[in-house]
Amino acid sequence: MTDITSQTEAALLAIAAADSLDMLEAQRLETLGKKGWVSLALKTLGGMTPEERTAAAPAIQSARASVAGALEAKKAALEAAELEAQLAREAIDLTLPAQAAHKGSVHPVSQVMDELAEIFADLGFAVATGPEIEDDWHNFTALNMDETHPARAMHDTFYFPDKTGDGKDVLLRTHTSPVQIRSMLAQGAPLRLIAPGRVYRSDSDATHTPMFHQVEGLVIDRDIHLGHLKWTLETFFKAFFEREDIVLRLRPSYFPFTEPSVEVDVGYSTEGGRRIVGGHGDAPGHAWMEIGGSGMVNVRVLEFAGVDPAEYQGFAFGLGIDRIAMLKYGMNDLRAFFDGDGRWLAHYGFSPFDQPTLSAGVGARA
Ligand code: PHE
């Protein structure tokens, strides 16, 4: 009797002193657990005579009840305390201003594409697109490069293993020029468009990546000549670089899809290791830099694209978008454009709220 009473008192003290759910569980095992003293005491009732049992049972039952009640009450108290602590720990102060943990930015290539669209739209050019997975006919043949044309080998083309249903090779377009063909076939003449987008060549070093960006320009109309081409490019570059002293040099060249063909150079100087576009390339301290290819659309290309060369002619040009982005915004390694490094993007990226407009300046910095 006294034994049970003192054991119960000791257990109730230990339960009251438990300050964690683990300690409380240890107390439960010692009392009500399978081998706990309360459980063992209850078991002894089975081996007693009815008289003995009547005498012993109430004390044991009441010990069990008070221990169980104490365990339950303490458990509820400990759980409530833990919840309070957690709520205090995880409190959010809604009166604090929101923190801009990460701010997204517009990639310079996207920015320059928007600038291109803005400037050329002002000159009456529409924006056209074409598939990056092209067939051999649009990428080469219709651009006056038949199967045996040596220029095909110069393009380091990525080919797919399968062919189209009608047996054409499938490839990643090596330039934006196939959009010329698709646009002429779809819309006929006259035409005035730019076609910015991704192109692919198996090439990789500090100034070449296997994927890069070009913008194609195409004007088809009556009485178009090289003077229109030069004026258009000059007007574009003046608006793009936001300076009047842009000097272009057209240098005779060769492309299968233009005749005559000219390479376009722009005069620049160097300040602190950075190239600054502007000025005559032959002036002291200046030089010429190639920025693209162009020419009068080859009669054969007009024929392939269903445009009558007796009535229409036109000019086309192709510029490297990444390259003019580097020139305008001062990056020196092309590969960093495509690394997805957050620090690079934070430094060179643009605010999405800063849409290029001609009135506000096409290259305004946030
Ligand atoms: N497609 C040519 C290239 O990628 C560039 C070009 C376009 C040249 C249009 C002339 C006319 O090299």
Side-chain angles (χ1 to χ4, degrees):
M1 252 328 141
T2 44
D3 202 23
I4 286 219
T5 311
S6 62
Q7 269 182 300
T8 305
E9 269 165 18
L12 292 178
L13 280 176
I15 289 167
D19 58 8
S20 72
L21 287 166
D22 284 346
M23 281 170 76
L24 191 66
E25 174 64 5
Q27 282 306 311
R28 191 191 64 80
L29 290 173
E30 264 180 45
T31 53
L32 305 184
K34 240 193 195 152
K35 296 198 170 119
W37 62 265
V38 179
S39 307
L40 296 178
L42 281 165
K43 264 193 202 145
T44 61
L45 293 176
M48 292 180 188
T49 65
E51 294 73 28
E52 285 171 335
R53 195 178 303 137
T54 312
I60 299 175
Q61 296 290 13
S62 95
R64 196 199 64 83
S66 59
V67 167
L71 282 170
E72 202 176 309
K74 185 70 185 185
K75 188 170 182 221
L78 285 173
E79 279 173 354
E82 188 162 302
L83 182 62
E84 279 303 315
Q86 187 184 3
L87 287 174
R89 215 169 37 240
E90 296 175 2
I92 296 171
D93 184 351
L94 295 176
T95 63
L96 287 174
Q99 302 264 308
H102 177 74
K103 202 168 103 214
S105 61
V106 175
H107 195 284
V109 169
S110 303
Q111 172 76 14
V112 167
M113 283 186 179
D114 289 347
E115 294 175 15
L116 282 161
E118 179 68 19
I119 296 167
F120 277 105
D122 196 51
L123 299 174
F125 285 64
V127 174
T129 55
E132 289 169 31
I133 297 175
E134 258 300 1
D135 62 58
D136 164 67
W137 188 82
H138 288 93
N139 194 81
F140 292 126
T141 310
L143 288 163
N144 197 29
M145 286 182 267
D146 66 28
E147 267 98 78
T148 57
H149 202 289
R152 281 198 180 202
M154 283 161 41
H155 274 216
D156 300 314
T157 313
F158 288 112
Y159 285 96
F160 286 86
D162 298 325
K163 291 183 186 292
T164 62
D166 49 358
K168 292 175 199 134
D169 280 325
V170 183
L171 46 87
L172 290 173
R173 68 178 181 191
T174 58
H175 51 177
T176 42
S177 299
V179 185
Q180 287 189 34
I181 304 297
R182 290 185 175 275
S183 301
M184 283 190 270
L185 285 173
Q187 298 166 42
L191 262 190
R192 213 186 289 181
L193 58 86
I194 57 166
R198 297 191 180 102
V199 299
Y200 302 84
R201 290 183 203 176
S202 173
D203 208 349
S204 192
D205 60 42
T207 53
H208 297 87
T209 47
M211 185 280 299
F212 57 104
H213 299 84
Q214 282 189 336
V215 60
E216 195 79 8
L218 177 67
V219 170
I220 303 287
D221 211 327
R222 296 183 174 89
D223 305 321
I224 295 294
H225 55 73
L226 270 183
H228 294 124
L229 166 68
K230 192 174 185 207
W231 182 87
T232 303
L233 287 174
E234 232 163 51
T235 303
F236 162 68
F237 280 113
K238 282 179 182 171
F240 182 74
F241 288 110
E242 295 176 275
R243 51 194 298 162
E244 279 301 305
D245 63 344
I246 299 292
V247 184
L248 295 184
R249 179 177 75 174
L250 301 189
R251 191 163 30 81
S253 184
Y254 172 77
F255 298 101
F257 31 91
T258 48
E259 182 57 39
S261 301
V262 285
E263 249 150 345
V264 184
D265 300 334
V266 65
Y268 73 95
S269 59
T270 308
E271 276 170 35
R274 192 185 151 175
R275 289 179 170 187
I276 309 291
V277 170
H280 196 285
D282 291 334
H286 286 65
W288 295 108
M289 174 173 30
E290 188 199 322
I291 46 176
S294 62
M296 299 304 294
V297 178
N298 194 306
V299 168
R300 297 263 293 148
V301 173
L302 294 174
E303 285 167 354
F304 272 118
V307 169
D308 180 3
E311 200 180 346
Y312 290 103
Q313 53 283 130
F315 66 78
F317 59 83
L319 305 173
I321 292 181
D322 314 288
R323 183 161 230 201
I324 61 174
M326 288 166 82
L327 271 177
K328 181 166 179 177
Y329 295 114
M331 307 83 162
N332 48 30
D333 190 344
L334 176 64
R335 288 168 297 194
F337 272 59
F338 312 119
D339 283 345
D341 184 329
R343 292 163 303 176
W344 189 90
L345 288 168
H347 184 77
Y348 288 112
F350 292 82
S351 163
F353 302 114
D354 182 29
Q355 291 293 322
T357 61
L358 289 176
S359 54
V362 281
R365 276 242 133 178

